[in-house]
Amino acid sequence: MAETVMAAINRRAFIGGTIGGIVAAGLGVPIALSLQSAPTSTGNLLTSRIPLPEPFRRRLTVPPVLAPVRTDASTDHYLVRQQITRSEIIPGTMTELWTYGGSFPGPTIESRRGRSVIVTHVNELPVPTVVHLHGGRTPAKSDGYPIDFVLPSDMTYYNQQLAHRDHASAGHSAMTAGGDVSEGERTYVYPLEQRAATLWYHDHRMDFTGPSVWRGLAGFHLHRDDEEDALDLPRGARELPLMIVDRSFAADGSLLYPSSDPTLVHEPGVMGDYIAGVLGDVMLVNGMPWPEARVDGVHHRLRLLNASNARRLSLRLDPAPRGGIMQIGTDGGLLDAPLTHDHLVLAPAQRLDVVVDFGGYPPGTVVTLRNDYGNGRMGEVMRFVVGDAVEDSFTMPDRLSSVATAAETESIATRAFHFRAGDIGERHGWLIGGQPFGADEIAATVAAGSLEVWELFADFHHPVHLHGASFQVLQRGSEGPGAFDFGWKDTIDLQPGEQARIAVRFDTNPGKYVFHCHNLEHEDMAMMANILIR
């Protein structure tokens, strides 16, 4: 399926039901409709103003694993400095990045079930930040609530901008008062008493998550346990975490992003053409444009993360591998048994854990990872060059884990939430249940450890992410789960005009958490709501 770039429609129309039907409603946003098939992404293409690099000229690198600054009997302690750095992403041009530890992606944190992780983040950036461990079962104080700011250690720039607040346009940023604010640094405590899984950490500041992540504030957190170790999955050089993002570049090599407020202090969101989401025209894997990886002819484990702001991906290997692409895990960790696919679909924030047998290719084979939701250059992601076959003792087991089924009969409540475009005062935005985000408004009060059934309704694509909970997909429309819905998840790829039902387990500590659309432009323009776990 070709990429769909959203085109403007009348400001009084939006999708209210199935694809192909447009109903008069009260808001205009850029969308694209096809009578034959659903659009691939909700967003608008932002075209770079610099010649794009030739693909497959850069060698793939894997983010370094961060060493703890100290350890004790039960806990590993880390220090991360959030800082500005410059990197040659486009050959011959330097790009300013906001980074964790000076690199994009940030350094990988590895943890193990049974050991806590404590991470101190020092904010050396010009604006506040908030860190969210995506997929972590964390205390509310450490979850990265969007107004729990870590203020800059140097407040000069931020204070200068705040002095102009009277001249700023009103946005829902006015509701940021009352957060748990830290000055210069904050220590996040992660008990991580949960199954092994591919987690990631990223900025989560209210109103400005989109531009902050776009500028580089994202990194892997790989959580391991004994159950996973017993499977003898590919490790070391044969385990490749791959963070896939799209970005656009200005003429001077800087990252191009259509912020309504370039200061990233006052007015939230993006300019009107990009209200549906920002799609870039350069594909980066681990921070490199269209890289190449040389791999031995042996099984490899690929930890795939779509960290794009709005772009959905449909990935396949060309030529296809012997035995297909074997999925072993998803957002919440291992599946109960492997699944075989010929392609993989990931919405923003989703992870898929797969094994590929590169030993099935003749040495020298060039294998391209393609994105069937992309046109032209965005239809390619990276490529692998297969080396000689080497000894390979790995055999995919029939069973991977014991994954409990979320029984709908356990549900103590059923709730419905509508994710739709709407007006916020005089601005266009995105709403849950007809309401914009308010820090003091509770959309759902739930019992810790309980299970509920949530019915989710969408107008456009909305990758819905729940903090403080994990869920299983029960149903899409009148059908069961989709091909990539199995296992415990934290993000569902909600399709345009779709109704989905999920069984949600509130399996973390009491406190206030959020759920939101992980199209980051939608999130920044108010598509977020609160869960209170008691």
Side-chain angles (χ1 to χ4, degrees):
M1 183 187 299
E3 176 187 39
T4 303
V5 177
M6 314 316 272
I9 64 166
N10 184 283
R11 71 174 266 122
R12 307 301 298 176
F14 76 100
I15 295 179
T18 59
I19 293 301
I22 302 180
V23 217
L27 173 75
V29 280
I31 65 166
L33 295 177
S34 166
L35 295 179
Q36 289 76 37
S37 58
T40 60
S41 296
T42 294
N44 215 350
L45 184 67
L46 181 62
T47 303
S48 291
R49 300 168 188 173
I50 191 172
L52 302 186
E54 289 296 315
F56 316 131
R57 299 295 177 89
R58 297 279 299 277
R59 185 67 60 87
L60 177 78
T61 60
V62 172
V65 175
L66 187 64
V69 293
R70 67 183 178 90
T71 62
D72 56 38
S74 62
T75 305
D76 299 315
H77 300 257
Y78 294 88
L79 175 67
V80 175
R81 295 189 180 276
Q82 303 170 2
Q83 54 195 196
I84 293 175
T85 190
R86 291 172 63 82
S87 179
E88 190 176 350
I89 296 177
I90 305 298
T93 304
M94 300 302 291
T95 298
E96 182 178 287
L97 297 167
W98 290 6
T99 69
Y100 296 118
S103 66
F104 173 64
T108 297
I109 294 176
E110 291 197 359
S111 58
R112 187 161 199 88
R113 188 170 191 172
R115 291 188 62 80
S116 297
V117 165
I118 295 178
V119 186
T120 298
H121 280 264
V122 179
N123 182 7
E124 298 175 359
L125 298 171
V127 299
T129 60
V130 175
V131 181
H132 171 52
L133 178 57
H134 188 120
R137 306 274 78 82
T138 60
K141 279 182 65 71
S142 293
D143 188 60
Y145 192 77
I147 59 173
D148 288 352
F149 287 180
V150 184
L151 296 176
S153 52
D154 180 350
M155 290 284 287
T156 304
Y157 171 85
Y158 190 52
N159 282 334
Q160 287 173 345
Q161 298 306 319
L162 289 177
H164 298 290
R165 178 174 292 277
D166 290 343
H167 303 289
S169 299
H172 70 290
S173 56
M175 295 183 291
T176 57
D180 182 7
V181 176
S182 303
E183 296 184 1
E185 65 180 55
R186 185 182 182 95
T187 296
Y188 295 86
V189 179
Y190 304 128
L192 290 169
E193 186 49 54
Q194 61 187 92
R195 305 171 69 230
T198 302
L199 314 178
W200 63 300
Y201 62 103
H202 61 81
D203 190 73
H204 206 260
R205 178 168 68 113
M206 183 165 160
D207 296 348
F208 299 102
T209 297
S212 295
V213 173
W214 188 272
R215 293 182 185 207
L217 291 178
F220 278 104
H221 183 128
L222 305 182
H223 186 52
R224 304 185 187 278
D225 65 11
D226 292 344
E227 179 185 49
E228 181 187 80
D229 287 351
L231 299 174
D232 197 26
L233 296 167
R235 294 290 299 268
R238 299 173 187 176
E239 180 184 37
L240 297 177
L242 301 176
M243 180 185 289
I244 304 171
V245 303
D246 57 341
R247 295 291 185 264
S248 300
F249 292 83
D252 63 358
S254 62
L255 287 165
L256 188 63
Y257 187 82
S259 291
S260 296
D261 174 14
T263 71
L264 305 189
V265 173
H266 299 297
E267 185 175 349
V270 291
M271 293 182 287
D273 288 348
Y274 299 97
I275 184 175
V278 182
L279 307 177
D281 62 359
V282 177
M283 196 74 86
L284 304 179
V285 183
N286 292 351
M288 287 160 285
W290 296 286
E292 176 182 284
R294 296 186 176 272
V295 295
D296 291 333
V298 68
H299 285 89
H300 280 66
R301 180 182 187 179
L302 310 182
R303 293 180 180 259
L304 299 165
L305 161 63
N306 181 358
S308 302
N309 280 34
R311 183 180 290 276
R312 296 170 69 248
L313 303 170
S314 179
L315 304 176
R316 64 181 172 89
L317 290 168
D318 180 19
R322 177 179 65 188
I325 303 172
M326 296 172 282
Q327 182 191 355
I328 60 171
T330 185
D331 302 342
L334 292 170
L335 301 173
D336 56 357
L339 298 173
T340 301
H341 304 286
D342 59 9
H343 75 290
L344 305 166
V345 174
L346 289 99
Q350 290 188 313
R351 290 87 69 207
L352 287 175
D353 198 346
V354 303
V355 172
V356 173
D357 181 11
F358 286 110
Y361 296 103
T365 302
V366 174
V367 183
T368 303
L369 181 62
R370 300 194 182 278
N371 169 34
D372 288 337
Y373 285 171
N375 281 334
R377 295 280 293 278
M378 299 307 287
E380 297 176 320
V381 178
M382 63 174 293
R383 75 180 184 187
F384 302 90
V385 179
V386 180
D388 292 336
V390 297
E391 183 179 353
D392 187 358
S393 61
F394 177 73
T395 301
M396 180 64 72
D398 293 331
R399 303 293 298 178
L400 299 167
S401 179
S402 178
V403 179
T405 299
E408 190 169 348
T409 54
E410 292 182 55
S411 174
I412 63 171
T414 298
R415 304 178 194 266
F417 294 101
H418 294 259
F419 294 78
R420 299 194 183 280
D423 287 331
I424 308 168
E426 297 181 355
R427 296 197 66 195
H428 298 329
W430 300 91
L431 312 175
I432 300 177
Q435 299 296 320
F437 178 68
D440 297 325
E441 302 295 326
I442 305 299
T445 299
V446 303
S450 66
L451 185 137
E452 295 187 357
V453 171
W454 284 19
E455 297 176 346
L456 310 177
F457 300 81
D459 51 3
F460 305 115
H461 289 109
H462 295 298
V464 176
H465 170 52
L466 276 64
H467 293 222
S470 54
F471 61 82
Q472 291 181 5
V473 179
L474 299 174
Q475 197 171 354
R476 287 184 180 271
S478 60
E479 304 295 329
F484 309 103
D485 285 338
F486 295 96
W488 286 102
K489 302 182 68 66
D490 58 54
T491 306
I492 180 173
D493 182 14
L494 205 58
Q495 305 284 317
E498 184 176 52
Q499 174 189 355
R501 299 175 72 248
I502 60 175
V504 187
R505 177 76 71 188
F506 298 97
D507 50 1
T508 192
N509 302 274
K512 187 165 66 172
Y513 297 83
V514 294
F515 65 103
H516 58 87
C517 178
H518 221 287
N519 177 318
L520 297 183
E521 285 69 53
H522 296 188
E523 176 185 345
D524 283 347
M525 301 185 77
M527 190 168 263
M528 184 159 56
N530 286 306
I531 306 167
L532 181 61
I533 301 178
R534 288 182 169 170

